[in-house]
Amino acid sequence: MVFLRFFGFLFLSCIGARENPYSNFPSIIPTTSDLESICSSLKTLNLDGHFSSDNVHHAARDFGNRYHSLPCVILQPESVSDIAITIKHIFNMGPSSILTVAARGHGHSLQGQSQAHGGVVINMQSLQEREMWVHAGELPFLDVSGGELFINILHETLKHGLAPKSWTDYLHLTVGGTLSNAGISGQAFRHGPQISNVYQLEVVTGKGEVMNCSEKQNADLFYSVLGGLGQFGIITRARIALEPAPKMVKWIRVLYSNFLIFSKDQEYLISAETTFDYIEGFVIINKTGLLNNWRSSFNPQDPVQASRFNSDGKTLYCLEMAKNFNPDENDIRNQEVESLLSQLSYIPSTLFLTEVSYLDFLDRVHVSEIKLRLKGLWEVPHPWLNLLIPRTRIHEFAEQVFGNILRDSSNGPILIYPLNKSKWDNRTSAVTPEEDIFYLVAFLSSAMPASTGTDGLEHILNQNKRILDFCETTRLGVKQYLPHYTNQEEWRTHFGPRWEIFVLRKSAYDPFAILAPGQKIFQKAIPFS
C-alpha cells in the first residue's frame, strides 16, 4: 500500500475566465527578444546570489507532472534581500510589465502553482541566511528559513528533544510551501493545521518590502499569508511552535466493512478527551491479500483469526491510529491503547500493531517514494483530488462515490478522516466548510504514462469530474483542498463572503499581481474585481 500523502491549502480566487485553462499569463505573449531584454535587466541587479538561465525546464514542472510553463530565469538567492530587490525591481516596472514571480520550494505543487510562464522562479532552497535556531524554553519554538525542508527540521529539533506539533504526511516539503497552503495530517484534529502553529513570519510582499508579522505585529499580513497560496507575499522565515518529542510510536490499523460504524468511531476519537495522537483513515477498494501485505511491518494481534479474514471483494475502511510514548512509560500507554480500542467497533480479527521510532513514523511515506523511484513510477502524472466535506453529508458522499463511482478499483490511496474546525483560525486565508466537524477525502491517484485504461490520465480525470459533478448537483457544501477553477464565479462560490477580503488583501500587498501566477487567480494588467 503506497501512501503518497501530501497536502496543502490552495484556496484561490479568479479574476475572469480564459479560454485556455492551462494558462494564466497575458494574452500578448512576449517575443524572444522581449524576454532577452527583460532577463538582461534582471541580471544587472546587485545580488548576493545570481540569476540562471540554465535548466529552466526543471522549474517548468512539478509533482503533478501535468502543467509545464517555462520561466524566463531562475533566481538562486543567497539572502532575503536578493528576493526583495528582484521583486522591487519588477514592481517598479509597473503593472504593464509581463514579469511575474513564483516561489518554488521542493516542487510538490500539483497544477503548476510554483511555475511562472516567462517570469522568474525563485529557488527557495538556495537561501543561505541564518541557520535553524531552536529555542528550548517554556514555550519552545524554532526559527527557520522558508526554504527549509520539514525532514531537516525534524532531525534538528529531535536533537533538543523537541518537534513541531503539526505535520504533513510527507516531510520533504518546504516551510514556505506548506504554510502558504495549510499543512494537515493525522495530528490536525488536535493541534490544527500547520498554519495554526506559527508565531511569527518574515515576508517579502509583492511590492518588494521585507516585513515581520505576527498576531500582534502587521497582523493583517500575517493572517493573509497563512493559507494565502503565495498571493500576498513570499515566506522567507517562520517561527514555529514546538513540543516535547516522544521517542517511540505505537502504530495501529484496524478494518471496518460498514462506513457508518467507521465514521462514528473516527468522530468519537477526535472528540474524546483522552485519545490517540494521530488519527487518519483510508478506503480500500477491490484489494486482495491486503492483510498479507501488512505482515512485513505489522503484527496481527490474533494471527489465526487474521489469516482467516476474507473481504469477499467488499469495500473496506481502515482506521489508522498512533500513540506516542517513551520506553519508561510503555506499560501505561499500553493500557491507554487497550482502553481506547475497547470503545471501537472494528472487525476484531483485523487488529494489526507495530512499534517504530517517532522519526520513522513521521517519515514513513519517504520509504514508498524510494521504492517508486526505483521502479520509475514517481515522476508520473498525479491528478489528485482533495475535498473537505461537511460531517452531515459524508455518508451521502461515501454511498455514492465509494459505492458507485469507484466500485471497481482505485489508482492510489484514498484518505478519509475528520477534522475539528475549532482548531482552525478563521482569520487566515484558508477556507473550510461551515460545520464544526468536516472530513478530508483525498484521492491520491497516479496515472500511468501512455495508458488508455482505467489507470490512464484521461480515465482518472473523468472520474474526478464525476465526483465533483455529484458534489455540485447535490449541493454538499464541499470545499476543494488544492482547488483548481477556471472561471470567476467558481472562485467566488469557493470563497463565499470571504472573497472580497481576499481581493482587498491582494490589492494591499501585491497590487500588480506579480506573485504566484501559477495559481491562476489574478492576472497582471487586469483590474481586481
Side-chain angles (χ1 to χ4, degrees):
M1 180 73 62
V2 177
F3 298 94
L4 303 179
R5 305 167 180 180
F6 159 53
F7 313 106
F9 222 359
L10 311 180
F11 291 110
L12 317 177
S13 43
C14 185
I15 289 308
R18 289 174 293 279
E19 293 183 2
N20 181 0
Y22 295 84
S23 305
N24 189 45
F25 36 87
S27 56
I28 300 177
I29 305 299
T31 65
T32 302
S33 60
D34 290 333
L35 290 176
E36 289 177 351
S37 174
I38 293 168
C39 291
S40 296
S41 74
L42 290 172
K43 292 178 179 179
T44 63
L45 300 178
N46 185 19
L47 307 178
D48 298 315
H50 66 279
F51 287 100
S52 172
S53 300
D54 300 327
N55 202 24
V56 292
H57 288 82
H58 175 72
R61 62 183 303 165
D62 56 23
F63 182 68
N65 205 16
R66 294 171 52 209
Y67 297 77
H68 307 284
S69 295
L70 284 171
C72 172
V73 291
I74 300 173
L75 172 61
Q76 308 285 358
E78 292 187 5
S79 64
V80 173
S81 65
D82 286 351
I83 298 173
I85 289 170
T86 299
I87 295 177
K88 184 69 172 178
H89 176 78
I90 296 172
F91 178 77
N92 287 337
M93 290 181 175
S96 61
S97 163
I98 63 172
L99 272 187
T100 55
V101 176
R104 176 186 172 90
H106 212 198
H108 273 263
S109 57
L110 295 174
Q111 294 168 316
Q113 288 92 342
S114 62
Q115 299 173 29
H117 177 84
V120 178
V121 169
I122 301 175
N123 177 15
M124 296 300 295
Q125 289 188 268
S126 74
L127 270 178
Q128 298 179 8
E129 291 206 332
R130 303 184 304 274
E131 296 181 356
M132 284 185 275
W133 180 61
V134 176
H135 174 76
E138 184 177 346
L139 289 174
F141 61 81
L142 168 75
D143 273 339
V144 64
S145 166
E148 191 61 78
L149 296 178
F150 273 98
I151 183 62
N152 297 334
I153 289 173
L154 179 59
H155 283 295
E156 181 63 25
T157 56
L158 284 179
K159 295 176 184 177
H160 302 265
L162 299 167
K165 297 178 180 180
S166 188
W167 295 93
T168 52
D169 288 324
Y170 181 66
L171 302 187
H172 295 249
L173 308 170
T174 59
V175 171
T178 64
L179 295 185
S180 294
N181 299 296
I184 61 175
S185 184
Q187 306 87 5
F189 78 94
R190 168 177 286 170
H191 297 294
Q194 289 180 325
I195 58 174
S196 294
N197 294 276
V198 181
Y199 293 142
Q200 184 175 313
L201 297 172
E202 179 186 69
V203 175
V204 180
T205 71
K207 299 177 182 179
E209 300 169 328
V210 181
M211 299 180 67
N212 289 314
C213 55
S214 65
E215 184 179 12
K216 296 181 179 180
Q217 178 186 16
N218 299 314
D220 185 64
L221 177 62
F222 180 69
Y223 293 115
S224 296
V225 170
L226 292 173
L229 316 172
Q231 292 299 303
F232 313 110
I234 295 174
I235 297 172
T236 52
R237 200 157 190 87
R239 178 168 292 182
I240 298 171
L242 302 178
E243 66 176 358
K247 296 189 183 324
M248 300 292 293
V249 169
K250 296 181 185 297
W251 189 2
I252 304 161
R253 287 176 180 168
V254 295
L255 292 180
Y256 296 74
S257 59
N258 185 297
F259 182 80
L260 292 175
I261 298 174
F262 166 73
S263 59
K264 179 180 178 182
D265 279 0
Q266 279 194 318
E267 291 170 21
Y268 162 74
L269 288 175
I270 71 162
S271 302
E273 185 173 343
T274 300
T275 187
F276 292 99
D277 298 295
Y278 161 99
I279 299 168
E280 288 195 8
F282 52 94
V283 184
I284 303 163
I285 297 177
N286 197 26
K287 297 290 183 182
T288 59
L290 176 71
L291 300 189
N292 286 330
N293 292 336
W294 286 359
R295 291 178 191 276
S296 61
S297 54
F298 286 82
N299 299 314
Q301 186 178 58
D302 189 334
V304 175
Q305 289 298 316
S307 65
R308 296 173 181 172
F309 176 78
N310 190 330
S311 68
D312 296 323
K314 296 179 181 178
T315 295
L316 299 174
Y317 307 95
C318 176
L319 177 55
E320 185 174 46
M321 304 153 286
K323 190 71 173 177
N324 302 336
F325 74 100
N326 292 314
D328 60 350
E329 57 187 18
N330 193 29
D331 290 342
I332 190 171
R333 293 295 174 259
N334 281 335
Q335 294 174 13
E336 290 176 356
V337 167
E338 290 178 8
S339 176
L340 286 167
L341 290 175
S342 70
Q343 305 298 313
L344 307 180
S345 301
Y346 57 88
I347 301 170
S349 62
T350 66
L351 174 57
F352 277 65
L353 313 91
T354 191
E355 292 184 0
V356 297
S357 72
Y358 188 58
L359 172 62
D360 288 343
F361 175 73
L362 289 178
D363 199 31
R364 62 199 178 279
V365 179
H366 188 53
V367 176
S368 297
E369 177 188 355
I370 293 172
K371 293 178 181 178
L372 289 171
R373 285 190 182 278
L374 289 174
K375 296 178 181 179
L377 297 177
W378 181 255
E379 295 183 357
V380 298
H382 294 98
W384 288 7
L385 177 63
N386 300 273
L387 304 174
L388 301 175
I389 302 174
R391 182 191 66 82
T392 58
R393 308 300 296 274
I394 191 64
H395 301 135
E396 183 180 352
F397 177 89
E399 181 179 3
Q400 176 64 20
V401 175
F402 306 140
N404 292 311
I405 297 177
L406 300 177
R407 293 182 63 180
D408 297 325
S409 64
S410 60
N411 294 289
I414 302 173
L415 306 185
I416 180 168
Y417 55 92
L419 298 164
N420 290 312
K421 187 178 179 68
S422 63
K423 302 299 181 179
W424 295 65
D425 194 320
N426 62 11
R427 290 173 293 182
T428 70
S429 293
V431 178
T432 63
E434 292 302 319
E435 296 189 4
D436 292 340
I437 294 176
F438 56 89
Y439 278 75
L440 168 75
V441 183
F443 302 88
L444 309 184
S445 301
S446 297
M448 295 301 99
S451 174
T452 58
T454 57
D455 59 352
L457 179 60
E458 183 177 356
H459 175 83
I460 297 171
L461 290 175
N462 286 335
Q463 186 173 267
N464 289 349
K465 185 177 184 302
R466 290 181 63 195
I467 295 171
L468 289 172
D469 287 346
F470 164 72
C471 293
E472 182 177 359
T473 301
T474 54
R475 298 183 179 181
L476 289 186
V478 168
K479 295 296 183 183
Q480 279 198 44
Y481 184 55
L482 312 179
H484 180 67
Y485 295 122
T486 58
N487 65 70
Q488 183 176 340
E489 190 57 37
E490 288 176 327
W491 288 117
R492 285 181 176 273
T493 299
H494 175 78
F495 276 95
R498 301 181 67 181
W499 165 253
E500 299 302 331
I501 296 175
F502 198 84
V503 171
L504 286 174
R505 287 173 165 178
K506 185 69 171 180
S507 300
Y509 303 116
D510 183 25
F512 293 165
I514 291 170
L515 301 177
Q519 297 282 12
K520 303 177 177 68
I521 309 173
F522 303 104
Q523 183 171 306
K524 292 194 74 172
I526 295 181
F528 300 163
S529 63

